[in-house]
Amino acid sequence: MKNLRRKTLAAASAATLGAGLALAGGLAPAAAVGPDTTFLVLAPQGGKTDKAAARVAAAKGTVVASYGQIGVLVARSTNPNFATEVAGAGVESVASTAGLGTALDEGETVEVAAADIAAVDPTKEPLYGQQWDMDMIHVPQAHAVNAGSPDVVVGVLDSGISSSHPDLATQIAKDKSTSCIGGVTDTAEAAWNPTTSDHGTHVAGTIAAAVNGVGVTGIAPGAKVAAVKVVDNDGYIYPEAAVCGFLWAADHGMQVTNNSYYIDPWELNCRNDARQRPVWQAVQRAIRYSQSKGVLNVASAGNSNYDLAHKITDTGSPNNGKPENREDLTNACLDLPAEVPGVVTVGAVGPTGQKSYYSSYGQGVIDVTAPGGDSRIRTQGATPTTTDQILSTTWDKNTKANGWGYKQGTSMSGPHAAGVAALALSAHPGMTPGQLASFLERTAVAGSCPQGVYNPAPLHPDGPHAWDATCSGGARNGFYGAGIVDAYNAVK
Ligand SMILES: [Ca+2]
Ligand SMILES: [Ca+2]
């Protein structure tokens, strides 16, 4: 997984450069012209951006988006010396985001047959029998008390939501939906619909698919979702899109966002690359701003079966046993958004309630867990079982057809926690993000650490120990955090 991510990032870099060089070649100027590059320009925190904007212009750049709330400008320039020339009074730091896109861990979609998606009784969802996840977290019991308020809007920072989907068309807050690709908002409906990925459509269905006698139910069908498209057509999340998305959600009254993606600047050698730090600082400013505006951000833990609490000693200096000291980085290179304080980080469990073989974990990192599916639990890893994954709404990128299907990953567990958060706010309005995060943990059902090495998939084709993991902690532990979120406990 690590190598895969590095590989795809290198590919993104090459693609960006390639496009830029083609453009420069066409212009054939005498003065030095580099690739058309996106920069994040940071004014001092809490300071104004007008001086920085003037410096951008003087350095032959164009401000394409101004986020004065956090003192960040998104600029584009073909000046190869832009970063040097823009530096000066009013500019704290500047960095190009070229090559810093993170690949969305898309996951395969397994569609269900089109038959039997509509029921005669509109109070009964025809595919509910396959939604083991909803039973696990007691969604039917919750719905008898509270199925969600339309005043609660969950921002889905993802690849867009299909607004023509019969299970979602009535569930989307269209006036709060936007694209953030390139760091610039575009509120046209076509701009925030999916183009090359149904990941966001699947996530949205888990949170709020309608109870309408068609397809599935979401956790909070009475609440709304807003599409905030941050994944580009190549499947990458660039930092400028993430900044735009967090600020959009904060300034449009969303109380919860779901972030089923995982950015690991540390893995990208952030410790050796001071150039990158301003980029990650800008993303953190955006997350903190959103929290100050009352947004609870929910994030996936990742699908690498990584011990997120110990990865520094695992990956750095293995021979001399001298671990890197993360504090030296002044928190500039945390995993995003998962490790920013106040963000609810969600691990995944399968249908038995045990940690999914792929779910990353870590004591003090995982806050709660939720169903994400585990296609390998039934066969000890030998062969996948589709129905042990998560069933939700889908959209076929080739045929453009809406449908229903299975996916698995912490991308699927995150929206379960976001959906329960939406129910909790519907039943108990007025909680601050901090109170809501504690409430989710307090109402979760604790899970115990398995003894010794946990190996749910010894027959997996990747090898007998490919998915080993060791849990540490007590009632609150590295596999389950405070436990599995519970919809009924959250509304009763
Ligand atoms: Ca439905
Ligand atoms: Ca957290």
Side-chain angles (χ1 to χ4, degrees):
M1 191 64 73
K2 256 191 294 184
N3 288 338
L4 178 70
R5 196 181 286 143
R6 278 174 206 272
K7 236 186 273 170
T8 48
L9 277 158
S13 247
T16 307
L17 280 173
L21 287 169
L23 180 67
L27 293 173
V33 173
D36 189 12
T37 302
T38 299
F39 294 86
L40 291 177
V41 179
L42 281 69
Q45 183 140 32
K48 290 193 171 156
T49 52
D50 47 352
K51 277 187 191 157
R55 295 204 66 84
V56 167
K60 299 191 233 19
T62 305
V63 173
V64 295
S66 178
Y67 294 111
Q69 309 96 312
I70 58 169
V72 172
L73 300 175
V74 182
R76 292 187 71 83
S77 181
T78 57
N79 176 4
N81 300 317
F82 178 82
T84 315
E85 291 178 16
V86 83
V91 174
E92 182 180 288
S93 53
V94 57
S96 151
T97 67
L100 298 183
T102 304
L104 179 71
D105 199 344
E106 170 89 38
E108 193 188 341
T109 303
V110 183
E111 301 274 348
V112 296
D116 302 328
I117 55 164
V120 180
D121 180 351
T123 66
K124 292 204 165 49
E125 303 307 277
L127 297 176
Y128 186 81
Q130 297 167 62
Q131 291 187 277
W132 57 266
D133 51 320
M134 299 293 163
D135 277 341
M136 177 181 279
I137 64 170
H138 304 122
V139 168
Q141 294 89 333
H143 285 183
V145 180
N146 193 320
S149 158
D151 296 337
V152 176
V153 180
V154 179
V156 177
L157 275 63
D158 213 296
S159 61
I161 302 175
S162 174
S163 61
S164 59
H165 198 293
D167 238 346
L168 293 170
T170 57
Q171 308 303 91
I172 302 170
K174 292 187 175 182
D175 59 329
K176 294 178 190 288
S177 294
T178 191
S179 164
C180 269
I181 305 303
V184 181
T185 56
D186 180 349
T187 57
E189 190 162 335
W192 52 259
N193 261 262
T195 38
T196 57
S197 160
D198 71 348
H199 191 270
T201 298
H202 199 278
V203 162
T206 293
I207 297 168
V211 174
N212 55 358
V214 177
V216 295
T217 184
I219 293 163
K224 298 289 179 196
V225 285
V228 182
K229 190 172 177 180
V230 297
V231 180
D232 72 13
N233 287 347
D234 298 320
Y236 289 91
I237 301 121
Y238 277 88
E240 58 269 28
V243 166
C244 168
F246 284 114
L247 293 192
W248 174 271
D251 290 339
H252 290 81
M254 294 175 211
Q255 299 94 327
V256 180
T257 70
N258 184 77
N259 303 269
S260 284
Y261 56 91
Y262 185 78
I263 304 173
D264 188 353
W266 182 261
E267 196 171 281
L268 307 173
N269 291 318
C270 184
R271 60 192 156 175
N272 296 328
D273 193 346
R275 180 188 74 79
Q276 290 185 14
R277 289 185 202 169
V279 170
W280 310 121
Q281 268 162 347
V283 178
Q284 288 183 66
R285 281 190 192 180
I287 295 172
R288 289 184 178 129
Y289 173 81
S290 77
Q291 291 170 344
S292 78
K293 290 287 177 182
V295 183
L296 180 72
N297 298 299
V298 176
S300 300
N303 302 329
S304 307
N305 188 38
Y306 236 21
D307 183 352
L308 297 167
H310 293 106
K311 62 183 173 160
I312 304 313
T313 44
D314 287 349
T315 57
S317 312
N319 295 323
N320 63 16
K322 190 175 136 201
E324 300 277 346
N325 184 351
R326 211 164 188 175
E327 297 305 308
D328 292 347
L329 297 175
T330 60
N331 290 333
C333 297
L334 293 172
D335 289 337
L336 301 171
E339 287 187 348
V340 177
V343 173
V344 173
T345 308
V346 188
V349 297
T352 62
Q354 293 168 282
K355 180 182 103 66
S356 303
Y357 72 95
Y358 55 78
S359 180
S360 288
Y361 57 99
Q363 197 174 7
V365 179
I366 301 295
D367 295 308
V368 290
T369 41
D374 190 337
S375 63
R376 300 282 175 169
I377 192 76
R378 205 175 286 273
T379 64
Q380 292 199 299
T383 53
T385 309
T386 298
T387 51
D388 289 332
Q389 303 187 13
I390 302 298
L391 180 63
S392 185
T393 42
T394 61
W395 174 86
D396 189 299
K397 65 183 175 190
N398 298 314
T399 65
K400 318 289 183 204
N402 295 303
W404 290 263
Y406 292 90
K407 280 178 180 286
Q408 74 173 357
T410 54
S411 282
M412 282 66 246
S413 68
H416 283 80
V420 172
L423 283 184
L425 274 180
S426 301
H428 313 289
M431 281 190 275
T432 65
Q435 288 167 337
L436 179 55
S438 311
F439 186 77
L440 281 180
E441 294 178 5
R442 230 174 30 247
T443 55
V445 178
S448 315
C449 271
Q451 292 288 315
V453 175
Y454 176 66
N455 182 3
L459 305 180
H460 196 286
D462 290 352
H465 296 290
W467 300 99
D468 281 4
T470 303
C471 182
S472 54
R476 186 184 179 112
N477 58 60
F479 273 19
Y480 305 103
I484 300 174
V485 294
D486 193 279
Y488 179 58
N489 287 347
V491 298
K492 72 179 182 189

